[in-house]
Amino acid sequence: MLPPARRDYVSVSFGEQSGGRYNNSKQWRRQSCWRKWKQLSRLQRSIILFALVLLLIFGMSPYPNSQHYRAVTPSLKASSPLSPPGLVGVDEEKEAAGAAGLPVPPHVLPEPVKVQPDGPRQKKMPQKRGPPVLQGRQQKRGNASEPLVVGGGGEEQNKKKEPNDKGEEPVISWREAVVKVDKPSDNTKAGDDKDSPKQPPKKTSKEIEALRLAAVQEAFRHAWRGYKEFAWGHDELRPISKSYGEWFGLGLTLIDALDTMWILGLKEEFAEAREWVNSELSFNKNVDVNLFETTIRILGGLLSTYHLSGDQMFLEKAKDIGSRLMPAFKTPSKIPYSDVNIGKGTAHPPRWTSDSTVAEVTTIQLEFRELTRLTRDQQYQDAVGEVARLVHQLEGKQDGLVPMFINTNSGQFTHQGVFTLGARADSYYEYLLKQWIQGGKKEPQFLEDYLQAIEGVKKNLLQKSTPSGLTFVGELSHGQFSPKMDHLVCFLPGTLALGAHHGLPEDHLELAQRLMETCYQMYAQMETGLSPEIVHFNTHQGSIRDVDVKPADRHNLLRPETVESLFYLYRFTKDPKYQEWGWEILQSFNKHTKVSTGGYTSINNVRDTNYPSPRDKMESFFLGETLKYLYLLFSDNPDLVGLDRYVFNTEAHPLPIWPSDPQE
């Protein structure tokens, strides 16, 4: 007999106490659900419990939000098991973001990052590439709002990166980024990867020469535009305030720049400047001028331009100013006063002293000697020749080195015991050699004093820095050595090289090369690539850097001495490193001193790339000397102002070397 079939349904009956009505109380519902659960089979209960456990596990696991996906690089998105479909590729990401109404992220290759747990939202910093030690420099030198893209600039940054074999976007590691910064691609444009070392362009030597000469011409035109628009006919441009400054009211910048324009081949600019000199320049003014500055800038500039152009008008102007400066020599000692009123014909020392500086009274000889040669008026050469004769025989020198001051009444050195090749004495040594060269090497007293002075420098002022062993020229004060060196001293490598070229001992050229390296390092070791006015060298064992700069000495006045010496060293050795160093300096001038509205400005702090603190002044010698020497440095034409035919005055105005026949 078969057992009765098992029912596959549940029968529910209601108790009598309900009175035959539906009871929906909580107690009754709990009892009813429990009875239902007990009536389920063991398999059914196991399935339900397993499903509940799975729901609990999935409910507790974190689901990545949209911020999480934005933080993950394309390559991580492509390989992450958490990435949902539609976020695998960059194009799909853009489509998803656009469909959701979110901003579409630009297609820029970021660094790989670690996925961090969600936490407090922090300020998003700009992406940077390069090793961590360089990030601070990149933050300072670059625009913090723009991501740094290694290996190219301009349109290259907008091109889509090609995927690799796995279909993933390429990711640049820190180490690879360093390699690419050091070796930019051929497509890298000028101005990209600003922290990378300057690499010579892959061009022929003639192409490089033409490019650099054009860069100097453009720098001059930019400076000239500012002067013409905001300071025309005045002494100096103030490029920041778009105004001008007056020193003597004689158009110093314009006259200082005349022969520079001629040498650079800027015919249009030269023509308009010549017209101003011819029609507007007048020396019949009731104004005090400095004898030294007026001689080297105005008299020297007019004489040089006359020789280069052959224009008689410039010689007539030179004769006018030369004669107006002569009252300065009417002193009891024949040592000239520092100041002359060119309108009244009177002269006087500074208000605070009766002294003149030795450099000022011994750095006017080239110009007045040449004026005598051209005019046949002996008074000019006699006046400056007497000064040179007096200084030659004076007591108070030390191994050929001279003090910084000389009294106009007594004709004696004052403030004795302090010796420097910097301010107030520098060009005395320069003009000893150059007068000997100018006169055809026929005046042995100048050569004698020069050679003795160089030996005095070697004996008393030369030392080496630590840790690099840079040779530098310090100062001597009452027997105590000071490792202080002015930027002005950087005229010395060029002067030493010039002497060696004219037959002086070969060790002069060797010393010139060592000092040239030091002057270059005064630029290279500064954050802006520009030298301060004064440095102090470390000489103690254990020093970690060669150069220290005091806060008051950190200014740069656009001075020419270093590029002047680079010009001489390249002319005589043809070593291309000197051109490379000059090119770096020009680029630093363009980066940190160029004013967009025209002109260049001196700066207060060469150690601050973010804000070098412009001084709002463009010295006349930036056009008269600095850019001229840079142009001559980059030129491979030895006959462009040939150094066997011309000698430069201390303001870079070339004057002819006298022929052996005085009648020529």
Side-chain angles (χ1 to χ4, degrees):
M1 185 173 179
L2 295 174
R6 181 169 178 158
R7 300 176 184 228
D8 56 357
Y9 62 89
V10 177
S11 175
V12 180
S13 61
F14 297 93
E16 293 293 334
Q17 69 273 19
S18 65
R21 293 175 303 188
Y22 174 66
N23 186 352
N24 196 31
S25 66
K26 291 182 179 179
Q27 182 180 1
W28 186 89
R29 286 199 304 270
R30 284 195 295 269
Q31 294 174 352
S32 175
C33 290
W34 177 250
R35 283 194 299 269
K36 291 179 182 179
W37 172 259
K38 295 294 289 183
Q39 291 170 355
L40 294 175
S41 67
R42 181 175 297 176
L43 177 61
Q44 290 173 322
R45 289 197 298 265
S46 297
I47 293 173
I48 293 173
L49 287 174
F50 182 72
L52 289 174
V53 170
L54 287 178
L55 288 174
L56 182 62
I57 291 174
F58 280 102
M60 293 178 64
S61 63
Y63 191 84
N65 54 29
S66 60
Q67 294 296 331
H68 172 83
Y69 282 118
R70 290 194 189 101
V72 181
T73 62
S75 60
L76 288 176
K77 290 176 187 177
S79 60
S80 173
L82 299 179
S83 300
L87 287 177
V88 173
V90 176
D91 294 333
E92 290 85 356
E93 180 185 4
K94 292 183 178 181
E95 293 175 4
L102 298 174
V104 178
H107 186 178
V108 176
L109 181 63
E111 301 92 333
V113 297
K114 295 182 179 179
V115 179
Q116 301 291 342
D118 290 337
R121 187 171 182 180
Q122 298 180 352
K123 183 177 179 181
K124 189 174 182 181
M125 299 302 292
Q127 296 177 348
K128 307 184 77 63
R129 291 218 173 92
V133 295
L134 291 182
Q135 288 186 12
R137 294 180 63 194
Q138 293 170 348
Q139 180 73 15
K140 286 184 178 181
R141 295 193 177 192
N143 187 340
S145 64
E146 298 176 358
L148 177 63
V149 178
V150 179
E155 296 179 359
E156 293 296 324
Q157 296 182 7
N158 300 322
K159 291 183 179 180
K160 184 175 180 179
K161 306 293 187 298
E162 293 297 328
N164 58 22
D165 294 336
K166 298 180 181 180
E168 299 173 348
E169 289 286 335
V171 178
I172 300 177
S173 68
W174 289 120
R175 190 173 301 276
E176 186 180 357
V178 175
V179 173
K180 289 196 174 184
V181 169
D182 289 341
K183 299 178 181 179
S185 66
D186 292 339
N187 293 330
T188 302
K189 296 182 180 179
D192 289 345
D193 297 332
K194 296 180 180 179
D195 286 331
S196 62
K198 305 294 185 302
Q199 298 292 336
K202 295 180 179 179
K203 299 178 182 294
T204 66
S205 59
K206 285 296 182 183
E207 289 173 331
I208 295 173
E209 178 187 7
L211 181 149
R212 291 176 174 177
L213 293 176
V216 179
Q217 290 174 324
E218 176 52 35
F220 186 97
R221 288 192 179 100
H222 182 80
W224 187 254
R225 281 194 293 269
Y227 176 77
K228 183 179 178 181
E229 183 170 357
F230 305 119
W232 183 250
H234 298 284
D235 285 342
E236 294 166 337
L237 167 66
R238 297 189 179 276
I240 304 296
S241 58
K242 301 178 184 178
S243 60
Y244 59 85
E246 292 286 37
W247 194 0
F248 309 137
L250 299 177
L252 278 182
T253 294
L254 188 149
I255 298 175
D256 228 356
L258 283 168
D259 55 3
T260 304
M261 289 182 276
W262 185 270
I263 292 170
L264 269 60
L266 304 178
K267 297 181 180 179
E268 180 179 341
E269 291 82 357
F270 179 84
E272 59 189 3
R274 184 217 178 269
E275 177 59 29
W276 183 88
V277 172
N278 184 49
S279 60
E280 302 293 332
L281 178 61
S282 172
F283 298 122
N284 188 23
K285 291 184 176 182
N286 181 19
V287 60
D288 283 356
V289 302
N290 180 271
L291 170 67
F292 165 71
E293 297 290 355
T294 305
T295 299
I296 65 171
R297 301 193 197 205
I298 296 180
L299 178 58
L302 291 170
L303 289 172
S304 171
T305 307
Y306 162 70
H307 281 294
L308 293 174
S309 68
D311 191 330
Q312 189 71 21
M313 182 269 294
F314 293 110
L315 178 57
E316 295 303 318
K317 294 288 184 179
K319 288 194 253 183
D320 188 7
I321 188 61
S323 64
R324 291 175 183 271
L325 293 175
M326 290 306 293
F329 296 92
K330 296 178 180 179
T331 70
S333 67
K334 306 301 182 183
I335 299 297
Y337 291 129
S338 62
D339 297 288
V340 186
N341 188 301
I342 56 175
K344 293 181 178 180
T346 59
H348 58 86
R351 294 182 180 87
W352 56 89
T353 181
S354 59
D355 290 347
S356 290
T357 71
V358 172
E360 288 186 346
V361 303
T362 58
T363 313
I364 53 180
Q365 278 70 17
L366 291 182
E367 298 82 0
F368 279 102
R369 282 156 52 103
E370 178 61 15
L371 188 59
T372 284
R373 191 178 76 89
L374 292 173
T375 64
R376 310 292 184 184
D377 188 340
Q378 197 63 33
Q379 65 166 328
Y380 306 117
Q381 184 168 349
D382 287 348
V384 296
E386 180 67 11
V387 175
R389 186 186 65 80
L390 290 171
V391 174
H392 170 70
Q393 63 188 20
L394 270 181
E395 298 292 329
K397 301 176 185 177
Q398 180 170 328
D399 299 316
L401 304 177
V402 296
M404 294 188 292
F405 297 97
I406 188 169
N407 189 270
T408 55
N409 294 321
S410 67
Q412 300 296 314
F413 290 131
T414 61
H415 302 85
Q416 296 189 33
V418 179
F419 303 99
T420 177
L421 263 70
R424 301 185 178 92
D426 51 349
S427 48
Y428 160 75
Y429 305 100
E430 176 189 357
Y431 267 39
L432 288 176
L433 176 67
K434 290 183 175 180
Q435 286 180 84
W436 177 69
I437 294 172
Q438 180 191 44
K441 306 176 184 178
K442 297 177 181 179
E443 299 160 291
Q445 72 274 16
F446 297 129
L447 179 61
E448 175 188 332
D449 286 352
Y450 175 75
L451 291 174
Q452 186 181 11
I454 297 305
E455 293 306 310
V457 170
K458 294 178 183 179
K459 178 180 177 181
N460 299 285
L461 304 182
L462 278 189
Q463 284 199 22
K464 290 190 176 183
S465 69
T466 55
S468 302
L470 299 174
T471 301
F472 69 93
V473 180
E475 298 182 350
L476 196 65
S477 178
H478 306 289
Q480 297 296 316
F481 180 82
S482 169
K484 168 181 174 287
M485 180 171 166
D486 295 0
H487 183 275
L488 289 168
V489 181
C490 287
F491 84 91
L492 186 57
T495 300
L496 287 167
L498 179 63
H501 174 71
H502 283 280
L504 299 190
E506 280 299 315
D507 66 337
H508 285 206
L509 180 59
E510 179 188 346
L511 177 57
Q513 292 171 315
R514 287 190 280 133
L515 290 172
M516 190 74 263
E517 168 73 25
T518 302
C519 290
Y520 166 68
Q521 289 299 328
M522 289 166 62
Y523 284 77
Q525 293 189 22
M526 297 300 113
E527 285 78 355
T528 59
L530 296 173
S531 172
E533 183 74 358
I534 299 171
V535 301
H536 288 77
F537 287 91
N538 290 314
T539 57
H540 302 292
Q541 294 299 322
S543 299
I544 60 174
R545 60 183 301 161
D546 296 274
V547 174
D548 283 331
V549 187
K550 296 180 179 180
D553 301 332
R554 294 180 177 180
H555 51 289
N556 180 287
L557 304 182
L558 312 174
R559 285 198 185 277
E561 287 78 19
T562 293
V563 295
E564 170 188 359
S565 287
L566 288 173
F567 156 63
Y568 283 112
L569 265 295
Y570 179 72
R571 272 283 178 98
F572 299 138
T573 69
K574 295 301 179 184
D575 189 333
K577 74 178 180 183
Y578 299 123
Q579 288 186 323
E580 296 303 322
W581 292 354
W583 182 242
E584 290 178 21
I585 292 171
L586 176 59
Q587 289 177 308
S588 295
F589 278 133
N590 281 331
K591 182 175 181 180
H592 297 290
T593 71
K594 189 174 184 178
V595 181
S596 61
T597 53
Y600 290 74
T601 179
S602 50
I603 58 177
N604 278 316
N605 192 352
V606 298
R607 309 214 66 172
D608 189 340
T609 57
N610 284 333
Y611 185 67
S613 184
R615 295 166 68 102
D616 194 21
K617 186 177 183 179
M618 184 177 77
E619 300 278 358
S620 76
F621 53 66
F622 182 66
L623 299 185
E625 298 186 73
T626 307
L627 293 181
K628 182 187 297 167
Y629 279 129
L630 282 168
Y631 189 85
L632 293 171
L633 167 64
F634 298 144
S635 173
D636 283 320
N637 179 8
D639 295 325
L640 182 61
V641 194
L643 294 176
D644 290 321
R645 298 174 52 229
Y646 292 95
V647 60
F648 285 90
N649 84 337
T650 198
E651 192 75 7
H653 298 306
L655 300 173
I657 296 173
W658 296 349
S660 55
D661 184 358
Q663 301 301 319
E664 292 184 24

